[in-house]
Amino acid sequence: MAIPTAELHVHLEGTLEPELIYQLAERNRVELPWAGIEDLRTRYDFTGLQHFLDLYYANMAVLRTEEDFADLTRAYLARAVRAGVRHTELFLDLQAHTGRGVPAEVVLRGVDDALGASEAEYGVSSGLIITLLRHLPGEAATEALREALEVDVRLLGVGLCSAETGSARPFREAFELAAAHGLHRVAHAGEEGPAANVTEVLDVLGAERVDHGIRALEDDAVVERLAAGRVPLTMCPLSNVRLQVVGSLDAYPLRELTDRGVLVTLNSDDPAYFGGYVDDVYRETAAALGLGTQELAALARNSMEASFVSEVRRAELVAEVDAWEAGLREA
Ligand code: HPA
Ligand code: ZN
């Protein structure tokens, strides 16, 4: 049985599998530039973040209707359930869709409907985090968040992703707006960018969690700050290897961070692109680093501690990890 987890760093659009890309292209009569699914798959060999992002945004062209967004969300949830996901805080790159002329309402309603149904069908709790795009101007981010806030759907938080270039300062206004509406705040930083970017999103955006944050290791003071403040890192080892942020999974600095008191969680990022869902991430990372049952259970409990659920839900989730661990001891 897969270890029960809370998934805290997964981009909905990063779960768009090649098969679904082709199904949606046919349904929406979108011309794709590839010779077929296999040809598309040959392009998943990335030299870095921007190389990946170019294909990731291009593939989104097939997502057009409320039904498309609901189908994508349902497909992710069905796979996530098999991966042991019991709670998910899902990133949505809203601007990547509104920028192509798909109204925010279409996107948000499709995703929200499917998330609501999953609670009843699978018992998976969920929240939606609108990830603002760092390669676009700060004003565009604020505008996108305003549009999202006008739609009658549940929002959990706001995030920041895409190319890690330039300052995060232009996004301060959007993050302040989010806070004023009671939304949680997270941000990608220290993936391709330096440790100073981690400090910046904490100080300027009030980030409660840092997505990736692996390059914090280049500055002891930043690591100490993360540890002292119990600021979680949502780490994505398969992503970091595929985007050449780290050389190999064997060299992944997970224990270095946990030994120094940082609250680390394991996540998939863009599972359709990086070779695995969160169960694969746990299994492959465990195999590469020799993590045992206790260490895996501790990582799963970290995901619950780092999540934005209520205390009651948190206790339920942690009890599921306890039961998983006890079951393995008996076996
Ligand atoms: N980094 C930044 N932006 C992203 C990523 C990532 O790994 N995946 C999807 N958008
Ligand atoms: Zn990410």
Side-chain angles (χ1 to χ4, degrees):
M1 183 183 122
I3 185 164
T5 55
E7 180 142 67
L8 307 178
H9 185 161
V10 57
H11 301 259
L12 177 64
E13 299 87 346
T15 72
L16 181 56
E17 293 283 351
E19 289 75 12
L20 188 55
I21 292 175
Y22 270 83
Q23 276 172 34
L24 295 178
E26 195 172 335
R27 182 155 99 192
N28 293 327
R29 303 192 202 304
V30 174
E31 284 280 340
L32 293 173
W34 307 287
I37 291 177
E38 283 320 307
D39 181 35
L40 171 57
R41 279 194 196 283
T42 64
R43 287 151 214 275
Y44 283 27
D45 203 5
F46 304 112
T47 54
L49 177 57
Q50 191 57 53
H51 183 198
F52 154 70
L53 288 171
D54 290 342
L55 184 65
Y56 167 79
Y57 292 125
N59 283 343
M60 290 180 203
V62 300
L63 294 162
R64 305 227 57 98
T65 67
E66 199 169 310
E67 189 187 5
D68 298 340
F69 284 93
D71 285 350
L72 174 61
T73 308
R74 273 194 289 268
Y76 158 66
L77 288 164
R79 179 64 183 84
V81 167
R82 285 190 278 124
V85 173
R86 305 295 303 131
H87 173 75
T88 182
E89 296 179 3
L90 197 56
F91 294 158
L92 178 70
D93 288 7
L94 183 64
Q95 290 167 279
H97 311 300
T98 54
R100 302 181 285 116
V102 184
E105 193 166 351
V106 166
V107 179
L108 289 167
R109 282 206 193 291
V111 176
D112 187 64
D113 278 357
L115 289 180
S118 84
E119 183 99 44
E121 191 174 344
Y122 304 115
V124 175
S125 50
S126 60
L128 196 54
I129 296 177
I130 305 292
T131 31
L132 303 169
L133 301 185
R134 189 167 178 154
H135 69 271
L136 297 176
E139 299 78 48
T142 306
E143 186 49 40
L145 183 58
R146 277 194 211 288
E147 272 182 62
L149 288 165
E150 277 168 21
V151 182
D152 183 24
V153 295
R154 291 177 314 149
L155 296 182
L156 177 67
V158 69
L160 183 69
C161 70
S162 192
E164 199 184 340
T165 49
S167 169
R169 228 160 247 288
F171 301 93
R172 184 180 194 135
E173 191 190 3
F175 273 66
E176 282 174 357
L177 177 66
H181 281 83
L183 299 185
H184 287 287
R185 290 171 285 176
V186 300
H188 282 56
E191 179 189 16
E192 275 197 347
N197 284 7
V198 173
T199 305
E200 189 184 44
V201 299
L202 298 177
D203 289 342
V204 175
L205 304 182
E208 300 162 73
R209 287 196 305 242
V210 176
D211 301 311
H212 294 296
I214 186 165
R215 289 191 58 195
L217 275 165
E218 292 168 19
D219 186 336
D220 287 347
V222 177
V223 172
E224 280 154 28
R225 177 170 177 188
L226 293 171
R230 290 298 273 170
V231 179
L233 295 186
T234 64
M235 303 195 79
C236 308
L238 298 188
S239 164
N240 292 157
V241 172
R242 293 291 285 267
L243 297 187
Q244 307 198 25
V245 171
V246 296
S248 71
L249 215 47
D250 308 358
Y252 205 73
L254 182 87
R255 280 209 187 88
E256 201 175 330
L257 285 160
T258 53
D259 287 353
R260 293 171 72 181
V262 178
L263 182 66
V264 170
T265 67
L266 289 183
N267 305 273
S268 64
D269 206 3
D270 300 285
Y273 291 87
F274 301 147
Y277 286 76
V278 77
D279 50 340
D280 305 310
V281 174
Y282 272 76
R283 192 186 58 255
E284 290 186 33
T285 307
L289 301 181
L291 304 176
T293 302
Q294 270 188 359
E295 280 172 295
L296 290 173
L299 287 162
R301 286 192 197 93
N302 282 356
S303 74
M304 283 125 197
E305 182 178 343
S307 74
F308 297 132
V309 295
S310 68
E311 288 310 314
V312 172
R313 180 64 178 145
R314 197 184 319 275
E316 280 174 12
L317 292 169
V318 170
E320 291 194 31
V321 182
D322 295 345
W324 175 84
E325 201 179 2
L328 283 191
R329 261 200 304 273
E330 280 161 24

PDB file of all heavy atoms in Angstrom, residues 9 11 14 49 52-53 56-57 60 91 93 131 133 160-164 188 191 212 236 239-240 243 269-270 274, ligand 1:
ATOM      1  N   HIS A   9       3.069  20.192  -3.633  1.00  0.00           N
ATOM      2  CA  HIS A   9       3.727  20.865  -4.760  1.00  0.00           C
ATOM      3  C   HIS A   9       3.489  20.040  -6.015  1.00  0.00           C
ATOM      4  O   HIS A   9       4.286  19.181  -6.389  1.00  0.00           O
ATOM      5  CB  HIS A   9       5.231  21.017  -4.465  1.00  0.00           C
ATOM      6  CG  HIS A   9       5.982  21.793  -5.506  1.00  0.00           C
ATOM      7  ND1 HIS A   9       7.216  22.356  -5.252  1.00  0.00           N
ATOM      8  CD2 HIS A   9       5.691  22.097  -6.789  1.00  0.00           C
ATOM      9  CE1 HIS A   9       7.655  22.978  -6.350  1.00  0.00           C
ATOM     10  NE2 HIS A   9       6.741  22.814  -7.303  1.00  0.00           N
ATOM     11  N   HIS A  11       1.723  20.922  -9.959  1.00  0.00           N
ATOM     12  CA  HIS A  11       1.039  21.850 -10.867  1.00  0.00           C
ATOM     13  C   HIS A  11       0.000  21.043 -11.636  1.00  0.00           C
ATOM     14  O   HIS A  11       0.358  20.060 -12.302  1.00  0.00           O
ATOM     15  CB  HIS A  11       2.039  22.477 -11.844  1.00  0.00           C
ATOM     16  CG  HIS A  11       3.148  23.236 -11.152  1.00  0.00           C
ATOM     17  ND1 HIS A  11       3.146  24.602 -11.040  1.00  0.00           N
ATOM     18  CD2 HIS A  11       4.275  22.812 -10.517  1.00  0.00           C
ATOM     19  CE1 HIS A  11       4.231  24.996 -10.386  1.00  0.00           C
ATOM     20  NE2 HIS A  11       4.935  23.921 -10.047  1.00  0.00           N
ATOM     21  N   GLY A  14       0.899  20.270 -14.959  1.00  0.00           N
ATOM     22  CA  GLY A  14       2.031  19.340 -15.025  1.00  0.00           C
ATOM     23  C   GLY A  14       1.596  17.889 -14.900  1.00  0.00           C
ATOM     24  O   GLY A  14       2.425  16.980 -14.924  1.00  0.00           O
ATOM     25  N   LEU A  49      15.083  24.534 -16.642  1.00  0.00           N
ATOM     26  CA  LEU A  49      13.711  24.974 -16.350  1.00  0.00           C
ATOM     27  C   LEU A  49      13.033  25.614 -17.576  1.00  0.00           C
ATOM     28  O   LEU A  49      11.896  25.278 -17.910  1.00  0.00           O
ATOM     29  CB  LEU A  49      13.732  25.945 -15.160  1.00  0.00           C
ATOM     30  CG  LEU A  49      12.397  26.565 -14.745  1.00  0.00           C
ATOM     31  CD1 LEU A  49      11.349  25.506 -14.403  1.00  0.00           C
ATOM     32  CD2 LEU A  49      12.596  27.511 -13.548  1.00  0.00           C
ATOM     33  N   PHE A  52      11.919  23.201 -20.267  1.00  0.00           N
ATOM     34  CA  PHE A  52      10.693  22.515 -19.838  1.00  0.00           C
ATOM     35  C   PHE A  52       9.486  23.442 -19.956  1.00  0.00           C
ATOM     36  O   PHE A  52       8.441  23.073 -20.501  1.00  0.00           O
ATOM     37  CB  PHE A  52      10.842  22.005 -18.401  1.00  0.00           C
ATOM     38  CG  PHE A  52       9.530  21.870 -17.684  1.00  0.00           C
ATOM     39  CD1 PHE A  52       8.627  20.879 -18.036  1.00  0.00           C
ATOM     40  CD2 PHE A  52       9.175  22.769 -16.679  1.00  0.00           C
ATOM     41  CE1 PHE A  52       7.393  20.784 -17.401  1.00  0.00           C
ATOM     42  CE2 PHE A  52       7.954  22.674 -16.051  1.00  0.00           C
ATOM     43  CZ  PHE A  52       7.057  21.685 -16.412  1.00  0.00           C
ATOM     44  N   LEU A  53       9.614  24.670 -19.451  1.00  0.00           N
ATOM     45  CA  LEU A  53       8.470  25.591 -19.418  1.00  0.00           C
ATOM     46  C   LEU A  53       7.937  25.857 -20.831  1.00  0.00           C
ATOM     47  O   LEU A  53       6.720  25.953 -21.027  1.00  0.00           O
ATOM     48  CB  LEU A  53       8.858  26.910 -18.744  1.00  0.00           C
ATOM     49  CG  LEU A  53       9.077  26.858 -17.219  1.00  0.00           C
ATOM     50  CD1 LEU A  53       9.665  28.183 -16.722  1.00  0.00           C
ATOM     51  CD2 LEU A  53       7.797  26.520 -16.454  1.00  0.00           C
ATOM     52  N   TYR A  56       5.777  22.924 -21.641  1.00  0.00           N
ATOM     53  CA  TYR A  56       4.673  22.888 -20.661  1.00  0.00           C
ATOM     54  C   TYR A  56       3.590  23.913 -21.031  1.00  0.00           C
ATOM     55  O   TYR A  56       2.407  23.589 -21.087  1.00  0.00           O
ATOM     56  CB  TYR A  56       5.319  23.168 -19.311  1.00  0.00           C
ATOM     57  CG  TYR A  56       4.486  23.493 -18.107  1.00  0.00           C
ATOM     58  CD1 TYR A  56       3.834  22.488 -17.402  1.00  0.00           C
ATOM     59  CD2 TYR A  56       4.421  24.803 -17.620  1.00  0.00           C
ATOM     60  CE1 TYR A  56       3.112  22.784 -16.246  1.00  0.00           C
ATOM     61  CE2 TYR A  56       3.714  25.105 -16.471  1.00  0.00           C
ATOM     62  CZ  TYR A  56       3.060  24.090 -15.790  1.00  0.00           C
ATOM     63  OH  TYR A  56       2.362  24.392 -14.652  1.00  0.00           O
ATOM     64  N   TYR A  57       3.987  25.129 -21.357  1.00  0.00           N
ATOM     65  CA  TYR A  57       2.999  26.148 -21.746  1.00  0.00           C
ATOM     66  C   TYR A  57       2.400  25.830 -23.119  1.00  0.00           C
ATOM     67  O   TYR A  57       1.199  26.023 -23.340  1.00  0.00           O
ATOM     68  CB  TYR A  57       3.618  27.554 -21.729  1.00  0.00           C
ATOM     69  CG  TYR A  57       3.975  28.051 -20.348  1.00  0.00           C
ATOM     70  CD1 TYR A  57       5.256  28.494 -20.031  1.00  0.00           C
ATOM     71  CD2 TYR A  57       3.018  28.059 -19.326  1.00  0.00           C
ATOM     72  CE1 TYR A  57       5.579  28.935 -18.749  1.00  0.00           C
ATOM     73  CE2 TYR A  57       3.334  28.495 -18.050  1.00  0.00           C
ATOM     74  CZ  TYR A  57       4.608  28.929 -17.766  1.00  0.00           C
ATOM     75  OH  TYR A  57       4.927  29.358 -16.499  1.00  0.00           O
ATOM     76  N   MET A  60      -0.472  23.345 -23.078  1.00  0.00           N
ATOM     77  CA  MET A  60      -1.726  23.820 -22.463  1.00  0.00           C
ATOM     78  C   MET A  60      -2.738  24.299 -23.506  1.00  0.00           C
ATOM     79  O   MET A  60      -3.913  24.488 -23.181  1.00  0.00           O
ATOM     80  CB  MET A  60      -1.444  24.972 -21.497  1.00  0.00           C
ATOM     81  CG  MET A  60      -0.715  24.537 -20.248  1.00  0.00           C
ATOM     82  SD  MET A  60      -0.458  25.993 -19.213  1.00  0.00           S
ATOM     83  CE  MET A  60       0.939  25.438 -18.232  1.00  0.00           C
ATOM     84  N   PHE A  91      -1.509  23.407  -7.449  1.00  0.00           N
ATOM     85  CA  PHE A  91      -1.168  24.675  -8.110  1.00  0.00           C
ATOM     86  C   PHE A  91      -1.894  24.787  -9.450  1.00  0.00           C
ATOM     87  O   PHE A  91      -1.964  23.817 -10.208  1.00  0.00           O
ATOM     88  CB  PHE A  91       0.339  24.744  -8.405  1.00  0.00           C
ATOM     89  CG  PHE A  91       1.220  24.808  -7.184  1.00  0.00           C
ATOM     90  CD1 PHE A  91       2.555  24.429  -7.270  1.00  0.00           C
ATOM     91  CD2 PHE A  91       0.741  25.253  -5.972  1.00  0.00           C
ATOM     92  CE1 PHE A  91       3.394  24.500  -6.159  1.00  0.00           C
ATOM     93  CE2 PHE A  91       1.570  25.321  -4.847  1.00  0.00           C
ATOM     94  CZ  PHE A  91       2.898  24.938  -4.956  1.00  0.00           C
ATOM     95  N   ASP A  93      -1.888  27.396 -12.814  1.00  0.00           N
ATOM     96  CA  ASP A  93      -1.264  28.538 -13.507  1.00  0.00           C
ATOM     97  C   ASP A  93      -2.341  29.308 -14.264  1.00  0.00           C
ATOM     98  O   ASP A  93      -2.371  29.324 -15.506  1.00  0.00           O
ATOM     99  CB  ASP A  93      -0.197  28.048 -14.500  1.00  0.00           C
ATOM    100  CG  ASP A  93       1.060  27.519 -13.823  1.00  0.00           C
ATOM    101  OD1 ASP A  93       1.079  27.396 -12.584  1.00  0.00           O
ATOM    102  OD2 ASP A  93       2.031  27.216 -14.546  1.00  0.00           O
ATOM    103  N   THR A 131      -1.063  29.943  -8.770  1.00  0.00           N
ATOM    104  CA  THR A 131       0.355  30.278  -8.901  1.00  0.00           C
ATOM    105  C   THR A 131       0.508  31.379  -9.952  1.00  0.00           C
ATOM    106  O   THR A 131       0.158  31.197 -11.112  1.00  0.00           O
ATOM    107  CB  THR A 131       1.179  29.028  -9.300  1.00  0.00           C
ATOM    108  OG1 THR A 131       0.377  28.166 -10.094  1.00  0.00           O
ATOM    109  CG2 THR A 131       1.662  28.278  -8.083  1.00  0.00           C
ATOM    110  N   LEU A 133       2.580  33.998 -12.335  1.00  0.00           N
ATOM    111  CA  LEU A 133       3.712  33.711 -13.227  1.00  0.00           C
ATOM    112  C   LEU A 133       4.765  34.816 -13.158  1.00  0.00           C
ATOM    113  O   LEU A 133       4.504  35.974 -13.474  1.00  0.00           O
ATOM    114  CB  LEU A 133       3.205  33.521 -14.663  1.00  0.00           C
ATOM    115  CG  LEU A 133       2.183  32.387 -14.839  1.00  0.00           C
ATOM    116  CD1 LEU A 133       1.837  32.201 -16.320  1.00  0.00           C
ATOM    117  CD2 LEU A 133       2.677  31.062 -14.243  1.00  0.00           C
ATOM    118  N   LEU A 160       3.867  31.517  -6.468  1.00  0.00           N
ATOM    119  CA  LEU A 160       4.644  32.187  -7.511  1.00  0.00           C
ATOM    120  C   LEU A 160       5.488  31.119  -8.191  1.00  0.00           C
ATOM    121  O   LEU A 160       6.170  30.347  -7.497  1.00  0.00           O
ATOM    122  CB  LEU A 160       5.551  33.250  -6.877  1.00  0.00           C
ATOM    123  CG  LEU A 160       6.387  34.106  -7.837  1.00  0.00           C
ATOM    124  CD1 LEU A 160       5.488  35.046  -8.635  1.00  0.00           C
ATOM    125  CD2 LEU A 160       7.433  34.923  -7.065  1.00  0.00           C
ATOM    126  N   CYS A 161       5.421  31.053  -9.517  1.00  0.00           N
ATOM    127  CA  CYS A 161       6.241  30.051 -10.208  1.00  0.00           C
ATOM    128  C   CYS A 161       6.697  30.581 -11.551  1.00  0.00           C
ATOM    129  O   CYS A 161       6.648  31.780 -11.788  1.00  0.00           O
ATOM    130  CB  CYS A 161       5.494  28.724 -10.340  1.00  0.00           C
ATOM    131  SG  CYS A 161       4.131  28.738 -11.486  1.00  0.00           S
ATOM    132  N   SER A 162       7.148  29.678 -12.408  1.00  0.00           N
ATOM    133  CA  SER A 162       7.721  29.975 -13.727  1.00  0.00           C
ATOM    134  C   SER A 162       9.197  30.411 -13.578  1.00  0.00           C
ATOM    135  O   SER A 162       9.788  30.209 -12.517  1.00  0.00           O
ATOM    136  CB  SER A 162       6.887  31.016 -14.474  1.00  0.00           C
ATOM    137  OG  SER A 162       7.305  31.080 -15.821  1.00  0.00           O
ATOM    138  N   ALA A 163       9.734  31.011 -14.635  1.00  0.00           N
ATOM    139  CA  ALA A 163      11.179  31.295 -14.685  1.00  0.00           C
ATOM    140  C   ALA A 163      11.629  32.079 -13.450  1.00  0.00           C
ATOM    141  O   ALA A 163      11.027  33.094 -13.113  1.00  0.00           O
ATOM    142  CB  ALA A 163      11.496  32.069 -15.946  1.00  0.00           C
ATOM    143  N   GLU A 164      12.691  31.600 -12.812  1.00  0.00           N
ATOM    144  CA  GLU A 164      13.131  32.238 -11.557  1.00  0.00           C
ATOM    145  C   GLU A 164      14.161  33.323 -11.856  1.00  0.00           C
ATOM    146  O   GLU A 164      15.295  33.265 -11.389  1.00  0.00           O
ATOM    147  CB  GLU A 164      13.692  31.169 -10.603  1.00  0.00           C
ATOM    148  CG  GLU A 164      13.721  31.650  -9.163  1.00  0.00           C
ATOM    149  CD  GLU A 164      14.363  30.644  -8.225  1.00  0.00           C
ATOM    150  OE1 GLU A 164      14.449  29.448  -8.566  1.00  0.00           O
ATOM    151  OE2 GLU A 164      14.800  31.079  -7.139  1.00  0.00           O
ATOM    152  N   HIS A 188       7.747  29.571  -5.269  1.00  0.00           N
ATOM    153  CA  HIS A 188       8.920  28.864  -5.774  1.00  0.00           C
ATOM    154  C   HIS A 188      10.131  29.786  -5.577  1.00  0.00           C
ATOM    155  O   HIS A 188      10.061  30.975  -5.912  1.00  0.00           O
ATOM    156  CB  HIS A 188       8.798  28.603  -7.273  1.00  0.00           C
ATOM    157  CG  HIS A 188       7.906  27.466  -7.645  1.00  0.00           C
ATOM    158  ND1 HIS A 188       6.604  27.379  -7.270  1.00  0.00           N
ATOM    159  CD2 HIS A 188       8.158  26.350  -8.398  1.00  0.00           C
ATOM    160  CE1 HIS A 188       6.078  26.264  -7.770  1.00  0.00           C
ATOM    161  NE2 HIS A 188       6.992  25.629  -8.457  1.00  0.00           N
ATOM    162  N   GLU A 191      15.264  27.266  -6.755  1.00  0.00           N
ATOM    163  CA  GLU A 191      15.264  26.082  -7.630  1.00  0.00           C
ATOM    164  C   GLU A 191      16.439  26.275  -8.600  1.00  0.00           C
ATOM    165  O   GLU A 191      17.471  25.663  -8.437  1.00  0.00           O
ATOM    166  CB  GLU A 191      13.926  25.966  -8.378  1.00  0.00           C
ATOM    167  CG  GLU A 191      13.855  24.773  -9.331  1.00  0.00           C
ATOM    168  CD  GLU A 191      12.611  24.782 -10.222  1.00  0.00           C
ATOM    169  OE1 GLU A 191      11.949  25.823 -10.347  1.00  0.00           O
ATOM    170  OE2 GLU A 191      12.329  23.716 -10.820  1.00  0.00           O
ATOM    171  N   HIS A 212      10.533  24.096  -3.692  1.00  0.00           N
ATOM    172  CA  HIS A 212      11.916  23.691  -4.020  1.00  0.00           C
ATOM    173  C   HIS A 212      12.845  24.158  -2.890  1.00  0.00           C
ATOM    174  O   HIS A 212      13.048  23.448  -1.932  1.00  0.00           O
ATOM    175  CB  HIS A 212      12.388  24.202  -5.389  1.00  0.00           C
ATOM    176  CG  HIS A 212      11.641  23.608  -6.544  1.00  0.00           C
ATOM    177  ND1 HIS A 212      11.691  22.263  -6.835  1.00  0.00           N
ATOM    178  CD2 HIS A 212      10.831  24.162  -7.468  1.00  0.00           C
ATOM    179  CE1 HIS A 212      10.933  22.017  -7.904  1.00  0.00           C
ATOM    180  NE2 HIS A 212      10.396  23.157  -8.292  1.00  0.00           N
ATOM    181  N   CYS A 236      11.165  18.424  -4.706  1.00  0.00           N
ATOM    182  CA  CYS A 236      10.724  17.600  -5.835  1.00  0.00           C
ATOM    183  C   CYS A 236      11.951  16.962  -6.483  1.00  0.00           C
ATOM    184  O   CYS A 236      12.465  17.466  -7.490  1.00  0.00           O
ATOM    185  CB  CYS A 236       9.988  18.463  -6.856  1.00  0.00           C
ATOM    186  SG  CYS A 236       8.657  19.455  -6.146  1.00  0.00           S
ATOM    187  N   SER A 239      11.935  16.088 -10.293  1.00  0.00           N
ATOM    188  CA  SER A 239      11.961  17.324 -11.062  1.00  0.00           C
ATOM    189  C   SER A 239      13.377  17.906 -11.091  1.00  0.00           C
ATOM    190  O   SER A 239      13.894  18.289 -12.140  1.00  0.00           O
ATOM    191  CB  SER A 239      10.992  18.332 -10.443  1.00  0.00           C
ATOM    192  OG  SER A 239      11.227  19.641 -10.903  1.00  0.00           O
ATOM    193  N   ASN A 240      14.009  17.959  -9.932  1.00  0.00           N
ATOM    194  CA  ASN A 240      15.340  18.560  -9.846  1.00  0.00           C
ATOM    195  C   ASN A 240      16.368  17.797 -10.674  1.00  0.00           C
ATOM    196  O   ASN A 240      17.279  18.393 -11.239  1.00  0.00           O
ATOM    197  CB  ASN A 240      15.811  18.643  -8.383  1.00  0.00           C
ATOM    198  CG  ASN A 240      15.015  19.632  -7.536  1.00  0.00           C
ATOM    199  OD1 ASN A 240      14.976  19.522  -6.317  1.00  0.00           O
ATOM    200  ND2 ASN A 240      14.369  20.609  -8.166  1.00  0.00           N
ATOM    201  N   LEU A 243      15.425  18.471 -14.488  1.00  0.00           N
ATOM    202  CA  LEU A 243      15.737  19.842 -14.935  1.00  0.00           C
ATOM    203  C   LEU A 243      17.195  20.209 -14.651  1.00  0.00           C
ATOM    204  O   LEU A 243      17.586  21.382 -14.737  1.00  0.00           O
ATOM    205  CB  LEU A 243      14.779  20.844 -14.291  1.00  0.00           C
ATOM    206  CG  LEU A 243      13.304  20.676 -14.663  1.00  0.00           C
ATOM    207  CD1 LEU A 243      12.458  21.818 -14.107  1.00  0.00           C
ATOM    208  CD2 LEU A 243      13.107  20.585 -16.174  1.00  0.00           C
ATOM    209  N   ASP A 269       5.810  17.799  -8.420  1.00  0.00           N
ATOM    210  CA  ASP A 269       5.976  18.983  -9.281  1.00  0.00           C
ATOM    211  C   ASP A 269       5.143  18.867 -10.564  1.00  0.00           C
ATOM    212  O   ASP A 269       4.045  19.413 -10.624  1.00  0.00           O
ATOM    213  CB  ASP A 269       7.450  19.236  -9.601  1.00  0.00           C
ATOM    214  CG  ASP A 269       7.759  20.700  -9.906  1.00  0.00           C
ATOM    215  OD1 ASP A 269       6.840  21.536  -9.809  1.00  0.00           O
ATOM    216  OD2 ASP A 269       8.925  21.010 -10.217  1.00  0.00           O
ATOM    217  N   ASP A 270       5.688  18.201 -11.577  1.00  0.00           N
ATOM    218  CA  ASP A 270       4.987  18.051 -12.858  1.00  0.00           C
ATOM    219  C   ASP A 270       5.105  16.586 -13.278  1.00  0.00           C
ATOM    220  O   ASP A 270       5.915  16.236 -14.151  1.00  0.00           O
ATOM    221  CB  ASP A 270       5.635  18.975 -13.910  1.00  0.00           C
ATOM    222  CG  ASP A 270       5.564  20.431 -13.469  1.00  0.00           C
ATOM    223  OD1 ASP A 270       4.481  21.021 -13.546  1.00  0.00           O
ATOM    224  OD2 ASP A 270       6.600  20.956 -13.003  1.00  0.00           O
ATOM    225  N   PHE A 274       8.093  14.619 -15.525  1.00  0.00           N
ATOM    226  CA  PHE A 274       9.351  14.323 -14.834  1.00  0.00           C
ATOM    227  C   PHE A 274       9.487  12.873 -14.385  1.00  0.00           C
ATOM    228  O   PHE A 274      10.316  12.553 -13.547  1.00  0.00           O
ATOM    229  CB  PHE A 274       9.524  15.264 -13.636  1.00  0.00           C
ATOM    230  CG  PHE A 274       9.547  16.733 -14.005  1.00  0.00           C
ATOM    231  CD1 PHE A 274       9.040  17.694 -13.142  1.00  0.00           C
ATOM    232  CD2 PHE A 274      10.095  17.153 -15.213  1.00  0.00           C
ATOM    233  CE1 PHE A 274       9.074  19.054 -13.464  1.00  0.00           C
ATOM    234  CE2 PHE A 274      10.120  18.508 -15.551  1.00  0.00           C
ATOM    235  CZ  PHE A 274       9.610  19.460 -14.676  1.00  0.00           C
TER     236      PHE A 274
HETATM  237  N1  HPA B   1       9.510  25.702 -11.482  1.00  0.00           N
HETATM  238  C1  HPA B   1       8.932  26.845 -11.811  1.00  0.00           C
HETATM  239  N2  HPA B   1       7.762  26.893 -12.406  1.00  0.00           N
HETATM  240  C2  HPA B   1       7.133  25.771 -12.692  1.00  0.00           C
HETATM  241  C3  HPA B   1       7.685  24.553 -12.382  1.00  0.00           C
HETATM  242  C4  HPA B   1       8.942  24.516 -11.734  1.00  0.00           C
HETATM  243  O1  HPA B   1       9.532  23.471 -11.410  1.00  0.00           O
HETATM  244  N3  HPA B   1       6.812  23.611 -12.812  1.00  0.00           N
HETATM  245  C5  HPA B   1       5.756  24.254 -13.349  1.00  0.00           C
HETATM  246  N4  HPA B   1       5.949  25.562 -13.288  1.00  0.00           N
END
